[in-house]
PDB file of all heavy atoms in Angstrom:
ATOM      1  N   PHE A 313     110.967 105.862 111.534  1.00  0.00           N
ATOM      2  CA  PHE A 313     110.625 104.929 112.597  1.00  0.00           C
ATOM      3  C   PHE A 313     111.095 103.523 112.272  1.00  0.00           C
ATOM      4  O   PHE A 313     111.769 102.856 113.060  1.00  0.00           O
ATOM      5  CB  PHE A 313     109.110 104.965 112.839  1.00  0.00           C
ATOM      6  CG  PHE A 313     108.580 103.805 113.634  1.00  0.00           C
ATOM      7  CD1 PHE A 313     108.954 103.609 114.952  1.00  0.00           C
ATOM      8  CD2 PHE A 313     107.697 102.907 113.053  1.00  0.00           C
ATOM      9  CE1 PHE A 313     108.467 102.535 115.687  1.00  0.00           C
ATOM     10  CE2 PHE A 313     107.197 101.832 113.786  1.00  0.00           C
ATOM     11  CZ  PHE A 313     107.594 101.640 115.114  1.00  0.00           C
ATOM     12  N   VAL A 314     110.781 103.049 111.072  1.00  0.00           N
ATOM     13  CA  VAL A 314     111.145 101.672 110.689  1.00  0.00           C
ATOM     14  C   VAL A 314     112.654 101.563 110.465  1.00  0.00           C
ATOM     15  O   VAL A 314     113.273 100.591 110.893  1.00  0.00           O
ATOM     16  CB  VAL A 314     110.364 101.222 109.431  1.00  0.00           C
ATOM     17  CG1 VAL A 314     110.868  99.876 108.935  1.00  0.00           C
ATOM     18  CG2 VAL A 314     108.863 101.153 109.770  1.00  0.00           C
ATOM     19  N   GLU A 315     113.251 102.564 109.856  1.00  0.00           N
ATOM     20  CA  GLU A 315     114.693 102.528 109.610  1.00  0.00           C
ATOM     21  C   GLU A 315     115.459 102.439 110.943  1.00  0.00           C
ATOM     22  O   GLU A 315     116.424 101.707 111.055  1.00  0.00           O
ATOM     23  CB  GLU A 315     115.126 103.755 108.828  1.00  0.00           C
ATOM     24  CG  GLU A 315     116.559 103.717 108.379  1.00  0.00           C
ATOM     25  CD  GLU A 315     116.913 104.814 107.392  1.00  0.00           C
ATOM     26  OE1 GLU A 315     116.033 105.203 106.577  1.00  0.00           O
ATOM     27  OE2 GLU A 315     118.065 105.263 107.439  1.00  0.00           O
ATOM     28  N   GLU A 316     115.018 103.169 111.928  1.00  0.00           N
ATOM     29  CA  GLU A 316     115.658 103.126 113.237  1.00  0.00           C
ATOM     30  C   GLU A 316     115.623 101.694 113.824  1.00  0.00           C
ATOM     31  O   GLU A 316     116.623 101.229 114.371  1.00  0.00           O
ATOM     32  CB  GLU A 316     114.956 104.092 114.195  1.00  0.00           C
ATOM     33  CG  GLU A 316     115.563 104.129 115.581  1.00  0.00           C
ATOM     34  CD  GLU A 316     114.809 105.094 116.504  1.00  0.00           C
ATOM     35  OE1 GLU A 316     113.972 105.888 116.025  1.00  0.00           O
ATOM     36  OE2 GLU A 316     115.086 105.041 117.718  1.00  0.00           O
ATOM     37  N   GLN A 317     114.496 101.025 113.709  1.00  0.00           N
ATOM     38  CA  GLN A 317     114.357  99.661 114.187  1.00  0.00           C
ATOM     39  C   GLN A 317     115.304  98.726 113.420  1.00  0.00           C
ATOM     40  O   GLN A 317     115.969  97.866 114.006  1.00  0.00           O
ATOM     41  CB  GLN A 317     112.933  99.166 114.090  1.00  0.00           C
ATOM     42  CG  GLN A 317     111.910 100.011 114.836  1.00  0.00           C
ATOM     43  CD  GLN A 317     112.289 100.257 116.279  1.00  0.00           C
ATOM     44  OE1 GLN A 317     112.654  99.339 117.006  1.00  0.00           O
ATOM     45  NE2 GLN A 317     112.210 101.518 116.703  1.00  0.00           N
ATOM     46  N   LEU A 318     115.372  98.888 112.120  1.00  0.00           N
ATOM     47  CA  LEU A 318     116.248  98.062 111.290  1.00  0.00           C
ATOM     48  C   LEU A 318     117.724  98.266 111.644  1.00  0.00           C
ATOM     49  O   LEU A 318     118.486  97.315 111.746  1.00  0.00           O
ATOM     50  CB  LEU A 318     115.998  98.333 109.809  1.00  0.00           C
ATOM     51  CG  LEU A 318     114.662  97.886 109.268  1.00  0.00           C
ATOM     52  CD1 LEU A 318     114.421  98.466 107.874  1.00  0.00           C
ATOM     53  CD2 LEU A 318     114.544  96.371 109.222  1.00  0.00           C
ATOM     54  N   GLU A 319     118.093  99.528 111.847  1.00  0.00           N
ATOM     55  CA  GLU A 319     119.476  99.827 112.214  1.00  0.00           C
ATOM     56  C   GLU A 319     119.844  99.216 113.571  1.00  0.00           C
ATOM     57  O   GLU A 319     120.942  98.708 113.738  1.00  0.00           O
ATOM     58  CB  GLU A 319     119.703 101.348 112.235  1.00  0.00           C
ATOM     59  CG  GLU A 319     119.753 101.947 110.847  1.00  0.00           C
ATOM     60  CD  GLU A 319     119.819 103.468 110.861  1.00  0.00           C
ATOM     61  OE1 GLU A 319     119.610 104.093 111.933  1.00  0.00           O
ATOM     62  OE2 GLU A 319     120.060 104.031 109.779  1.00  0.00           O
ATOM     63  N   MET A 320     118.923  99.247 114.525  1.00  0.00           N
ATOM     64  CA  MET A 320     119.186  98.671 115.848  1.00  0.00           C
ATOM     65  C   MET A 320     119.402  97.159 115.770  1.00  0.00           C
ATOM     66  O   MET A 320     120.098  96.582 116.600  1.00  0.00           O
ATOM     67  CB  MET A 320     118.039  98.988 116.817  1.00  0.00           C
ATOM     68  CG  MET A 320     118.030 100.442 117.253  1.00  0.00           C
ATOM     69  SD  MET A 320     116.920 100.830 118.653  1.00  0.00           S
ATOM     70  CE  MET A 320     115.438  99.941 118.323  1.00  0.00           C
ATOM     71  N   HIS A 321     118.853  96.550 114.710  1.00  0.00           N
ATOM     72  CA  HIS A 321     119.030  95.088 114.530  1.00  0.00           C
ATOM     73  C   HIS A 321     120.086  94.798 113.476  1.00  0.00           C
ATOM     74  O   HIS A 321     120.152  93.698 112.949  1.00  0.00           O
ATOM     75  CB  HIS A 321     117.698  94.438 114.202  1.00  0.00           C
ATOM     76  CG  HIS A 321     116.821  94.301 115.405  1.00  0.00           C
ATOM     77  ND1 HIS A 321     116.046  95.332 115.869  1.00  0.00           N
ATOM     78  CD2 HIS A 321     116.656  93.261 116.232  1.00  0.00           C
ATOM     79  CE1 HIS A 321     115.394  94.924 116.960  1.00  0.00           C
ATOM     80  NE2 HIS A 321     115.749  93.671 117.211  1.00  0.00           N
ATOM     81  N   GLU A 322     120.903  95.830 113.168  1.00  0.00           N
ATOM     82  CA  GLU A 322     122.056  95.681 112.254  1.00  0.00           C
ATOM     83  C   GLU A 322     121.703  95.182 110.866  1.00  0.00           C
ATOM     84  O   GLU A 322     122.430  94.398 110.261  1.00  0.00           O
ATOM     85  CB  GLU A 322     123.114  94.803 112.918  1.00  0.00           C
ATOM     86  CG  GLU A 322     123.603  95.363 114.241  1.00  0.00           C
ATOM     87  CD  GLU A 322     124.613  94.467 114.942  1.00  0.00           C
ATOM     88  OE1 GLU A 322     124.891  93.354 114.460  1.00  0.00           O
ATOM     89  OE2 GLU A 322     125.118  94.907 115.987  1.00  0.00           O
ATOM     90  N   ALA A 323     120.580  95.662 110.354  1.00  0.00           N
ATOM     91  CA  ALA A 323     120.215  95.341 108.979  1.00  0.00           C
ATOM     92  C   ALA A 323     121.182  96.030 108.019  1.00  0.00           C
ATOM     93  O   ALA A 323     121.687  97.122 108.314  1.00  0.00           O
ATOM     94  CB  ALA A 323     118.789  95.811 108.673  1.00  0.00           C
ATOM     95  N   SER A 324     121.452  95.411 106.894  1.00  0.00           N
ATOM     96  CA  SER A 324     122.358  95.991 105.904  1.00  0.00           C
ATOM     97  C   SER A 324     121.688  97.203 105.236  1.00  0.00           C
ATOM     98  O   SER A 324     120.446  97.347 105.274  1.00  0.00           O
ATOM     99  CB  SER A 324     122.707  94.966 104.843  1.00  0.00           C
ATOM    100  OG  SER A 324     121.566  94.662 104.034  1.00  0.00           O
ATOM    101  N   MET A 325     122.479  98.042 104.615  1.00  0.00           N
ATOM    102  CA  MET A 325     121.941  99.201 103.908  1.00  0.00           C
ATOM    103  C   MET A 325     121.029  98.755 102.762  1.00  0.00           C
ATOM    104  O   MET A 325     120.017  99.401 102.476  1.00  0.00           O
ATOM    105  CB  MET A 325     123.068 100.106 103.395  1.00  0.00           C
ATOM    106  CG  MET A 325     122.573 101.387 102.764  1.00  0.00           C
ATOM    107  SD  MET A 325     121.327 102.312 103.738  1.00  0.00           S
ATOM    108  CE  MET A 325     122.346 103.002 104.995  1.00  0.00           C
ATOM    109  N   LYS A 326     121.374  97.650 102.120  1.00  0.00           N
ATOM    110  CA  LYS A 326     120.541  97.143 101.033  1.00  0.00           C
ATOM    111  C   LYS A 326     119.145  96.770 101.560  1.00  0.00           C
ATOM    112  O   LYS A 326     118.146  97.117 100.949  1.00  0.00           O
ATOM    113  CB  LYS A 326     121.193  95.915 100.391  1.00  0.00           C
ATOM    114  CG  LYS A 326     120.369  95.312  99.280  1.00  0.00           C
ATOM    115  CD  LYS A 326     121.056  94.115  98.656  1.00  0.00           C
ATOM    116  CE  LYS A 326     120.170  93.506  97.571  1.00  0.00           C
ATOM    117  NZ  LYS A 326     120.769  92.316  96.976  1.00  0.00           N
ATOM    118  N   VAL A 327     119.086  96.091 102.696  1.00  0.00           N
ATOM    119  CA  VAL A 327     117.806  95.714 103.294  1.00  0.00           C
ATOM    120  C   VAL A 327     117.026  96.952 103.682  1.00  0.00           C
ATOM    121  O   VAL A 327     115.830  97.046 103.434  1.00  0.00           O
ATOM    122  CB  VAL A 327     118.005  94.764 104.478  1.00  0.00           C
ATOM    123  CG1 VAL A 327     116.716  94.616 105.311  1.00  0.00           C
ATOM    124  CG2 VAL A 327     118.503  93.396 104.031  1.00  0.00           C
ATOM    125  N   ILE A 328     117.676  97.908 104.301  1.00  0.00           N
ATOM    126  CA  ILE A 328     117.021  99.156 104.712  1.00  0.00           C
ATOM    127  C   ILE A 328     116.449  99.848 103.482  1.00  0.00           C
ATOM    128  O   ILE A 328     115.311 100.334 103.507  1.00  0.00           O
ATOM    129  CB  ILE A 328     117.976 100.066 105.507  1.00  0.00           C
ATOM    130  CG1 ILE A 328     118.296  99.422 106.853  1.00  0.00           C
ATOM    131  CG2 ILE A 328     117.391 101.470 105.682  1.00  0.00           C
ATOM    132  CD1 ILE A 328     119.394 100.110 107.633  1.00  0.00           C
ATOM    133  N   THR A 329     117.192  99.899 102.405  1.00  0.00           N
ATOM    134  CA  THR A 329     116.752 100.578 101.190  1.00  0.00           C
ATOM    135  C   THR A 329     115.506  99.895 100.607  1.00  0.00           C
ATOM    136  O   THR A 329     114.506 100.581 100.323  1.00  0.00           O
ATOM    137  CB  THR A 329     117.887 100.615 100.144  1.00  0.00           C
ATOM    138  OG1 THR A 329     118.987 101.346 100.712  1.00  0.00           O
ATOM    139  CG2 THR A 329     117.427 101.289  98.865  1.00  0.00           C
ATOM    140  N   VAL A 330     115.533  98.585 100.451  1.00  0.00           N
ATOM    141  CA  VAL A 330     114.366  97.905  99.842  1.00  0.00           C
ATOM    142  C   VAL A 330     113.155  97.943 100.798  1.00  0.00           C
ATOM    143  O   VAL A 330     112.015  98.019 100.328  1.00  0.00           O
ATOM    144  CB  VAL A 330     114.672  96.477  99.361  1.00  0.00           C
ATOM    145  CG1 VAL A 330     115.713  96.492  98.262  1.00  0.00           C
ATOM    146  CG2 VAL A 330     115.070  95.550 100.464  1.00  0.00           C
ATOM    147  N   MET A 331     113.421  97.917 102.092  1.00  0.00           N
ATOM    148  CA  MET A 331     112.304  98.030 103.040  1.00  0.00           C
ATOM    149  C   MET A 331     111.693  99.429 102.949  1.00  0.00           C
ATOM    150  O   MET A 331     110.474  99.575 102.969  1.00  0.00           O
ATOM    151  CB  MET A 331     112.756  97.706 104.444  1.00  0.00           C
ATOM    152  CG  MET A 331     111.626  97.632 105.451  1.00  0.00           C
ATOM    153  SD  MET A 331     110.390  96.341 105.144  1.00  0.00           S
ATOM    154  CE  MET A 331     111.216  94.924 105.895  1.00  0.00           C
ATOM    155  N   ASN A 332     112.545 100.458 102.844  1.00  0.00           N
ATOM    156  CA  ASN A 332     112.032 101.828 102.707  1.00  0.00           C
ATOM    157  C   ASN A 332     111.209 102.005 101.435  1.00  0.00           C
ATOM    158  O   ASN A 332     110.147 102.620 101.473  1.00  0.00           O
ATOM    159  CB  ASN A 332     113.174 102.842 102.732  1.00  0.00           C
ATOM    160  CG  ASN A 332     113.620 103.205 104.126  1.00  0.00           C
ATOM    161  OD1 ASN A 332     112.921 102.938 105.104  1.00  0.00           O
ATOM    162  ND2 ASN A 332     114.783 103.815 104.234  1.00  0.00           N
ATOM    163  N   ILE A 333     111.695 101.481 100.321  1.00  0.00           N
ATOM    164  CA  ILE A 333     110.952 101.580  99.066  1.00  0.00           C
ATOM    165  C   ILE A 333     109.601 100.882  99.183  1.00  0.00           C
ATOM    166  O   ILE A 333     108.573 101.416  98.782  1.00  0.00           O
ATOM    167  CB  ILE A 333     111.785 100.981  97.900  1.00  0.00           C
ATOM    168  CG1 ILE A 333     112.992 101.845  97.613  1.00  0.00           C
ATOM    169  CG2 ILE A 333     110.903 100.810  96.636  1.00  0.00           C
ATOM    170  CD1 ILE A 333     114.022 101.206  96.688  1.00  0.00           C
ATOM    171  N   SER A 334     109.610  99.708  99.774  1.00  0.00           N
ATOM    172  CA  SER A 334     108.381  98.911  99.916  1.00  0.00           C
ATOM    173  C   SER A 334     107.415  99.594 100.890  1.00  0.00           C
ATOM    174  O   SER A 334     106.219  99.684 100.613  1.00  0.00           O
ATOM    175  CB  SER A 334     108.711  97.500 100.390  1.00  0.00           C
ATOM    176  OG  SER A 334     109.534  96.859  99.451  1.00  0.00           O
ATOM    177  N   LEU A 335     107.926 100.069 101.986  1.00  0.00           N
ATOM    178  CA  LEU A 335     107.091 100.753 102.981  1.00  0.00           C
ATOM    179  C   LEU A 335     106.500 102.039 102.390  1.00  0.00           C
ATOM    180  O   LEU A 335     105.327 102.348 102.602  1.00  0.00           O
ATOM    181  CB  LEU A 335     107.909 101.052 104.242  1.00  0.00           C
ATOM    182  CG  LEU A 335     107.180 101.783 105.370  1.00  0.00           C
ATOM    183  CD1 LEU A 335     105.946 101.001 105.837  1.00  0.00           C
ATOM    184  CD2 LEU A 335     108.136 102.022 106.536  1.00  0.00           C
ATOM    185  N   GLU A 336     107.312 102.767 101.651  1.00  0.00           N
ATOM    186  CA  GLU A 336     106.825 103.995 101.018  1.00  0.00           C
ATOM    187  C   GLU A 336     105.655 103.682 100.088  1.00  0.00           C
ATOM    188  O   GLU A 336     104.611 104.360 100.120  1.00  0.00           O
ATOM    189  CB  GLU A 336     107.935 104.689 100.236  1.00  0.00           C
ATOM    190  CG  GLU A 336     107.500 105.954  99.552  1.00  0.00           C
ATOM    191  CD  GLU A 336     108.638 106.712  98.886  1.00  0.00           C
ATOM    192  OE1 GLU A 336     109.818 106.394  99.145  1.00  0.00           O
ATOM    193  OE2 GLU A 336     108.332 107.635  98.129  1.00  0.00           O
ATOM    194  N   GLU A 337     105.763 102.664  99.283  1.00  0.00           N
ATOM    195  CA  GLU A 337     104.697 102.260  98.378  1.00  0.00           C
ATOM    196  C   GLU A 337     103.421 101.891  99.132  1.00  0.00           C
ATOM    197  O   GLU A 337     102.352 102.393  98.809  1.00  0.00           O
ATOM    198  CB  GLU A 337     105.161 101.078  97.518  1.00  0.00           C
ATOM    199  CG  GLU A 337     104.086 100.471  96.651  1.00  0.00           C
ATOM    200  CD  GLU A 337     103.548 101.396  95.562  1.00  0.00           C
ATOM    201  OE1 GLU A 337     104.269 102.330  95.142  1.00  0.00           O
ATOM    202  OE2 GLU A 337     102.405 101.181  95.129  1.00  0.00           O
ATOM    203  N   MET A 338     103.559 101.056 100.138  1.00  0.00           N
ATOM    204  CA  MET A 338     102.374 100.564 100.832  1.00  0.00           C
ATOM    205  C   MET A 338     101.748 101.664 101.702  1.00  0.00           C
ATOM    206  O   MET A 338     100.522 101.778 101.755  1.00  0.00           O
ATOM    207  CB  MET A 338     102.716  99.323 101.661  1.00  0.00           C
ATOM    208  CG  MET A 338     103.240  98.152 100.838  1.00  0.00           C
ATOM    209  SD  MET A 338     102.295  97.775  99.317  1.00  0.00           S
ATOM    210  CE  MET A 338     100.712  97.302 100.011  1.00  0.00           C
ATOM    211  N   TYR A 339     102.558 102.468 102.347  1.00  0.00           N
ATOM    212  CA  TYR A 339     102.008 103.582 103.154  1.00  0.00           C
ATOM    213  C   TYR A 339     101.320 104.596 102.259  1.00  0.00           C
ATOM    214  O   TYR A 339     100.231 105.092 102.595  1.00  0.00           O
ATOM    215  CB  TYR A 339     103.115 104.220 104.001  1.00  0.00           C
ATOM    216  CG  TYR A 339     102.605 105.355 104.857  1.00  0.00           C
ATOM    217  CD1 TYR A 339     101.876 105.090 106.018  1.00  0.00           C
ATOM    218  CD2 TYR A 339     102.865 106.684 104.516  1.00  0.00           C
ATOM    219  CE1 TYR A 339     101.398 106.122 106.800  1.00  0.00           C
ATOM    220  CE2 TYR A 339     102.385 107.720 105.293  1.00  0.00           C
ATOM    221  CZ  TYR A 339     101.653 107.447 106.435  1.00  0.00           C
ATOM    222  OH  TYR A 339     101.171 108.474 107.211  1.00  0.00           O
ATOM    223  N   ALA A 340     101.919 104.920 101.134  1.00  0.00           N
ATOM    224  CA  ALA A 340     101.309 105.868 100.179  1.00  0.00           C
ATOM    225  C   ALA A 340      99.945 105.335  99.710  1.00  0.00           C
ATOM    226  O   ALA A 340      98.990 106.116  99.564  1.00  0.00           O
ATOM    227  CB  ALA A 340     102.236 106.123  99.006  1.00  0.00           C
ATOM    228  N   ASN A 341      99.866 104.032  99.469  1.00  0.00           N
ATOM    229  CA  ASN A 341      98.566 103.468  99.059  1.00  0.00           C
ATOM    230  C   ASN A 341      97.522 103.640 100.136  1.00  0.00           C
ATOM    231  O   ASN A 341      96.360 103.948  99.826  1.00  0.00           O
ATOM    232  CB  ASN A 341      98.726 101.966  98.713  1.00  0.00           C
ATOM    233  CG  ASN A 341      99.346 101.752  97.359  1.00  0.00           C
ATOM    234  OD1 ASN A 341      99.409 102.656  96.533  1.00  0.00           O
ATOM    235  ND2 ASN A 341      99.844 100.563  97.131  1.00  0.00           N
TER     236      ASN A 341
END
Side-chain angles (χ1 to χ4, degrees):
F313 164 64
V314 173
E315 188 169 328
E316 180 181 349
Q317 302 308 313
L318 292 168
E319 287 174 348
M320 287 192 317
H321 284 82
E322 301 177 356
S324 70
M325 185 49 74
K326 179 180 178 182
V327 167
I328 292 171
T329 300
V330 297
M331 187 63 83
N332 276 345
I333 292 168
S334 300
L335 179 58
E336 180 175 347
E337 173 65 24
M338 300 314 296
Y339 181 75
N341 283 343

